[in-house]
Amino acid sequence: IMIKLLYSAVVLDNESKQKLINAFTLPYKWQPVAHHMTIGFKEPVPDHLRNDIGKTVQLLVKEIGISTDAMAVKVLGYHSSNNIPHITLAIPEGGKPFNSNFITNWTPCSPSKRILLMGKVQEVFQNE
């Protein structure tokens, strides 16, 4: 059996996931995602952060971004190899969360939407 590393991430707890989805109005018929902030795509947690695996960390929502392909929030609080550390909030039908990486239109959130989210540092694998 091959075990393949899909990504390392801060995976939100259910409460934070709901909090995030409830804080923003999602476009009609889009599917909520609000699952994780990627630390590294197909990359393990970096060596200097290995001790954090399994630990709960806080992320702060700072900005909201949207394109025709994805909606995401920009977050602060933990290392990410992405240019813009973010959590995909929603995608249109047939959309891919990956498209959040291409959002260019970001707007600072109003203070009421600058929510704190909790998540666990994890490595996510796919069994093959």
Side-chain angles (χ1 to χ4, degrees), residues 26-27 30-34 69-72 87-92 96-97 100:
L26 307 186
W30 281 34
Q31 295 157 321
V33 182
D69 297 318
M71 182 179 188
I87 297 167
T88 302
L89 187 51
I91 50 172
K96 298 259 185 292
S100 292

Side-chain angles (χ1 to χ4, degrees), residues 6-120:
L6 295 179
Y7 56 87
S8 53
V10 176
V11 178
L12 298 183
D13 64 27
N14 284 333
E15 193 183 335
S16 292
K17 180 178 177 157
Q18 279 314 123
K19 197 156 83 166
L20 184 55
I21 291 167
N22 294 340
F24 296 93
T25 307
L26 307 186
Y28 180 65
K29 281 199 163 171
W30 281 34
Q31 295 157 321
V33 182
H35 183 259
H36 67 270
M37 180 207 77
T38 303
I39 295 169
F41 181 65
K42 294 185 177 170
E43 294 167 24
V45 173
D47 289 344
H48 68 287
L49 298 170
R50 301 288 309 163
N51 289 339
D52 287 352
I53 295 175
K55 285 191 185 147
T56 297
V57 296
Q58 283 188 333
L59 298 172
L60 177 66
V61 173
K62 292 290 285 187
E63 297 182 29
I64 179 84
I66 192 159
S67 68
T68 52
D69 297 318
M71 182 179 188
V73 289
K74 200 183 280 191
V75 292
L76 285 180
Y78 202 76
H79 169 81
S80 173
S81 63
N82 280 336
N83 292 340
I84 296 175
H86 67 273
I87 297 167
T88 302
L89 187 51
I91 50 172
E93 218 171 320
K96 298 259 185 292
F98 184 74
N99 289 325
S100 292
N101 290 301
F102 310 116
I103 294 174
T104 52
N105 179 14
W106 296 93
T107 313
C109 291
S110 61
S112 67
K113 306 229 184 261
R114 291 182 186 202
I115 53 180
L116 267 182
L117 305 170
M118 308 295 282
K120 259 200 179 93

